[in-house]
Amino acid sequence: MQWSKARRSAEGYTDRWLRAAWLLIALLILFAWLILAVITWDVVNAEQGRVLQENAFSLARTSKLQLSGIDSSLSLVAMQIANSTTPNARFLQPLIRLAPIRSVGFFSAKNVLVAGENSAFFRQLWQSATSSQSRTWTPAQIMALQRCLHDKAFCIGPLLPDSSVATAASRWGFPVFQRVSERSGQTSLLIAWIPLYGGLFPAWSGLHLLHQGDSFLLRSDGMLLSRYPYSPKVDYAGVQTGTVVKHWLMEITSFARTFSGYSSAAHGWRMCAAQPIGEYHLIAGQCVGRSILATSWWRSMRWPTAGALLLLFLSFFLYRYLARVNRSRELERRTAEKEIWEAKEHAEVTLSSIGDGVISTDCSGLVTNMNPIAESLTSWTLAEARGKPITQVFSIVSEADGRPVANPAERALTEGRVVGLANHTILIDRQGQRRNIEDSAAPIRDRSGKVLGTVLVFHDVSEKHELLTRLSYQATHDLLTGLPNRVLFQEHLEQAMRKAKHNESLLVIAFLDLDDFKLINDRLGHAAGDDLLKHVAERLRAELRDGDMPSRFGGDEFSFFISDVRSIGQAEQIARRILKMITLPVELGSEQRIVHASLGLTVYPLDEAES
């Protein structure tokens, strides 16, 4: 009777553990599937982002090439008209034979010449642009046309509908403007009409990437210049307010970026990539919707999902089988449990399998065992460390001041609880090498609760510590020049202002701006512009003292302050010396150029008192 009761109790205990084990396995399978799903989603997003960036670059490159050709053709005809005493329509004929131009108009105070299709629309375009009033076009379109009328260079107008075209998808196009300076001294305009067929920018017609998403060409003022495929839901005449405007036009950069958000043109969530066409103040890019990403994700997750379901079913049937088998063996397993628990081989295998360093001690704090990871991190072998105090084998100090830190194993022995190591702790191994670590120590107890020793578990976090240090540096410094950025400059400036007020000295704050920096970027390239910014940063470092701080605010703007200044004259002398050093010749590419800069000064607390 007693045996039968014990057997039933053992069977119930085993069934509960097997059920818990199966539930744990099922949760692990689901968790692994979820992790794989998240990783796959990230991979799909990253791959799609890379494809979008490549597509955006191709769209921008082809658009730039075609616009450059149109710009060159209009400039050539403008020169011919300017050198002619009697301009006539024959000058315009070569242009309309060039793709993608369909119509060309020459407009001046004395002459109106139109060649190509739909001359009536051209005259309407000129009248609406010059009068700033139109019942057909929106204020945004009129404003964009007005800018082109006053622009002295090649100008790309907004999208406009040609009401003479029957098909709505092919009704849209845009004008381009080229100023003509005639011999009489008057200024005239060449206007060419570029039609869009189905919303397609002409330069993209030969590209095979258009079917992968929604391709767009956007002006810097937020107005669309092209969107393919054409959609009647899109407001082609208005200013866009979606994700491209929010994530790109507000943060203009010189390279392709990937971002996501709500698209006002598509009326839905989109992942997009865009590439600027700086010469023409345009942005080309491509967007895809969630459905494309979800389809790619599911293609990658079909077999892992089937495998996860299969594992769940197999684990369930295995659980049922083991539950039946172990009911007859549970009593014998419980009888041998103590011997298995005390087996040394079990502990050795466990220690060798753990990825962290593990050191165990007896109740006196002497090392009894350690795994290979602990041997590697401390440079002590088990044979050398066994029997030695834990403080000798596991030597730790504070990162902040280098003082010794209380050993967690000793604290676990004396306090009888789990003890964690404080952050920013350094392990000094037997060779003197220093490592950032995290660890914890716990007492080892027998079944009666008596403390038999401690076990110390630790791992190397040096890479994590270095990463955090790099991230902290990047948050407060300019990556190109290495100078402090605006945030760090502001912190040190406030300290310098308090110090100047306490010492009753003057603090000079200077703002330096490079002249013609955009011209250097345009003529010599962005690499030369970056080299120039680095040279300026080096010269500021060389001229300023250790206590003064130069910084880069962004673009070609620098700032610095000079402390412990005793007079305005001294401040002006320092400013002249810095300006003189900045204007020394510098090698940019294959040219030697003299850089000019503008420098503004304010003196604290004098200027503060005046305000």
Side-chain angles (χ1 to χ4, degrees):
M1 179 67 70
Q2 292 179 353
W3 182 86
S4 178
K5 290 182 180 180
R7 186 175 184 274
R8 286 197 298 270
S9 176
E11 288 174 353
Y13 177 83
T14 303
D15 284 342
R16 288 194 298 272
W17 276 104
L18 279 175
R19 190 179 302 112
W22 175 73
L23 290 174
L24 178 60
I25 291 172
L27 289 175
L28 289 175
I29 292 172
L30 292 175
F31 181 75
W33 180 90
L34 181 61
I35 293 296
L36 181 60
V38 171
I39 293 174
T40 303
W41 179 258
D42 291 340
V43 170
V44 168
N45 274 267
E47 178 62 22
Q48 187 63 57
R50 183 187 64 79
V51 172
L52 287 175
Q53 286 184 354
E54 293 176 354
N55 291 353
F57 179 82
S58 298
L59 293 171
R61 181 175 178 82
T62 53
S63 303
K64 178 181 177 182
L65 290 174
Q66 188 167 79
L67 289 172
S68 298
I70 296 172
D71 187 1
S72 301
S73 299
L74 288 179
S75 298
L76 181 59
V77 173
M79 291 175 59
Q80 293 175 349
I81 293 176
N83 293 327
S84 174
T85 56
T86 57
N88 53 65
R90 66 182 177 81
F91 291 102
L92 307 180
Q93 293 300 323
L95 287 176
I96 62 176
R97 290 194 291 269
L98 294 175
I101 298 174
R102 287 295 175 266
S103 304
V104 181
F106 171 70
F107 299 90
S108 68
K110 299 179 179 179
N111 247 337
V112 175
L113 303 175
V114 178
E117 306 168 355
N118 200 353
S119 60
F121 175 79
F122 248 70
R123 297 177 188 275
Q124 177 192 359
L125 168 64
W126 173 252
Q127 292 172 1
S128 299
T130 53
S131 65
S132 302
Q133 295 180 356
S134 174
R135 296 181 179 179
T136 306
W137 301 331
T138 66
Q141 291 171 315
I142 295 297
M143 186 178 298
L145 288 173
Q146 286 293 311
R147 291 197 197 99
C148 284
L149 289 178
H150 296 90
D151 200 332
K152 296 181 179 180
F154 177 77
C155 181
I156 302 172
L159 275 182
L160 299 173
D162 185 354
S163 57
S164 65
V165 179
T167 306
S170 301
R171 185 174 298 164
W172 293 90
F174 60 91
V176 293
F177 297 75
Q178 179 68 53
R179 189 168 293 274
V180 181
S181 298
E182 298 183 74
R183 286 186 172 184
S184 61
Q186 295 181 346
T187 302
S188 308
L189 282 178
L190 267 178
I191 306 177
W193 177 252
I194 313 297
L196 304 181
Y197 298 103
L200 179 66
F201 189 76
W204 302 346
S205 58
L207 299 178
H208 298 289
L209 52 88
L210 297 177
H211 69 280
Q212 299 178 7
D214 303 328
S215 303
F216 63 88
L217 189 63
L218 194 68
R219 291 162 48 95
S220 61
D221 57 6
M223 297 186 69
L224 276 174
L225 201 62
S226 174
R227 184 185 184 275
Y228 183 83
Y230 173 82
S231 172
K233 298 180 180 179
V234 176
D235 181 14
Y236 288 90
V239 177
Q240 304 301 308
T241 59
T243 183
V244 177
V245 174
K246 292 179 180 178
H247 290 82
W248 185 271
L249 294 181
M250 301 303 177
E251 301 176 16
I252 294 296
T253 59
S254 60
F255 53 89
R257 287 182 53 214
T258 303
F259 45 86
S260 59
Y262 180 82
S263 170
S264 61
H267 302 286
W269 184 94
R270 289 291 187 271
M271 170 185 276
C272 302
Q275 172 74 37
I277 310 174
E279 294 86 341
Y280 300 106
H281 306 289
L282 301 175
I283 293 168
Q286 192 175 71
C287 298
V288 295
R290 274 200 181 97
S291 59
I292 293 179
L293 296 174
T295 301
S296 299
W297 174 82
W298 176 244
R299 281 200 298 265
S300 301
M301 286 298 298
R302 283 179 300 180
W303 290 112
T305 301
L309 292 175
L310 180 61
L311 286 176
L312 285 174
F313 280 110
L314 289 177
S315 64
F316 175 74
F317 287 116
L318 181 62
Y319 152 68
R320 297 296 299 271
Y321 171 76
L322 291 178
R324 288 195 298 268
V325 171
N326 279 285
R327 288 190 183 97
S328 61
R329 299 181 180 178
E330 184 63 22
L331 189 61
E332 292 80 3
R333 190 194 66 80
R334 287 171 62 87
T335 304
E337 185 177 87
K338 182 178 180 180
E339 289 78 8
I340 297 174
W341 183 80
E342 294 174 346
K344 181 179 180 181
E345 290 77 10
H346 179 76
E348 294 293 337
V349 171
T350 302
L351 280 176
S352 299
S353 303
I354 295 176
D356 292 346
V358 179
I359 302 177
S360 61
T361 72
D362 58 17
C363 58
S364 301
L366 302 180
V367 175
T368 58
N369 205 350
M370 59 195 305
N371 68 350
I373 301 298
E375 291 179 338
S376 174
L377 294 177
T378 61
S379 297
W380 286 81
T381 65
L382 176 59
E384 295 170 335
R386 182 177 282 124
K388 289 185 171 54
I390 185 64
T391 53
Q392 181 179 351
V393 176
F394 189 76
S395 176
I396 52 177
V397 297
S398 171
E399 183 184 20
D401 52 16
R403 295 181 179 179
V405 176
N407 196 288
E410 292 185 331
R411 290 182 56 196
L413 281 174
T414 57
E415 299 173 12
R417 63 179 181 86
V418 177
V419 176
L421 190 63
N423 292 331
H424 306 293
T425 301
I426 301 294
L427 169 66
I428 303 177
D429 66 13
R430 196 176 185 185
Q431 310 301 328
Q433 185 176 353
R434 303 164 71 89
R435 294 184 175 89
N436 293 84
I437 61 165
E438 292 178 353
D439 78 346
S440 63
I444 302 174
R445 302 177 184 272
D446 61 10
R447 294 197 172 189
S448 64
K450 180 182 178 181
V451 175
L452 302 178
T454 59
V455 59
L456 177 67
V457 181
F458 58 99
H459 59 276
D460 188 354
V461 294
S462 299
E463 292 184 1
K464 172 184 174 183
H465 185 269
E466 292 175 1
L467 176 60
L468 292 175
T469 301
R470 287 198 303 271
L471 291 176
S472 176
Y473 177 85
Q474 292 173 1
T476 57
H477 288 77
D478 175 54
L479 297 183
L480 177 64
T481 63
L483 293 178
N485 62 12
R486 186 189 299 265
V487 175
L488 186 59
F489 178 81
Q490 186 66 31
E491 294 178 0
H492 284 264
L493 177 60
E494 292 173 359
Q495 296 174 7
M497 291 171 68
R498 289 194 294 269
K499 181 179 177 182
K501 189 172 184 179
H502 180 268
N503 295 340
E504 297 183 355
S505 61
L506 300 180
L507 177 67
V508 177
I509 302 102
F511 297 89
L512 186 143
D513 184 86
L514 301 181
D515 299 335
D516 299 326
F517 179 74
K518 183 178 183 301
L519 185 61
I520 292 175
N521 265 341
D522 292 341
R523 289 187 176 179
L524 303 180
H526 291 285
D530 290 346
D531 289 340
L532 174 58
L533 294 175
K534 292 176 184 177
H535 280 296
V536 171
E538 291 172 1
R539 289 176 179 178
L540 284 177
R541 288 193 191 96
E543 282 300 309
L544 295 176
R545 300 167 300 180
D546 291 339
D548 303 331
M549 171 175 282
S551 73
R552 182 189 177 201
F553 272 29
D556 60 338
E557 297 176 356
F558 294 81
S559 182
F560 58 88
F561 61 78
I562 306 169
S563 57
D564 295 329
V565 177
R566 296 301 173 183
S567 66
I568 299 298
Q570 182 186 358
E572 293 176 346
Q573 181 181 3
I574 295 173
R576 284 194 294 269
R577 188 179 76 244
I578 291 176
L579 268 180
K580 182 178 179 181
M581 179 59 67
I582 293 296
T583 56
L584 289 177
V586 61
E587 292 287 342
L588 296 178
S590 60
E591 296 185 17
Q592 187 178 63
R593 299 183 68 92
I594 296 178
V595 180
H596 296 282
S598 301
L599 183 67
L601 299 177
T602 183
V603 181
Y604 175 85
L606 298 182
D607 292 342
E608 180 187 52
E610 291 177 1
S611 63

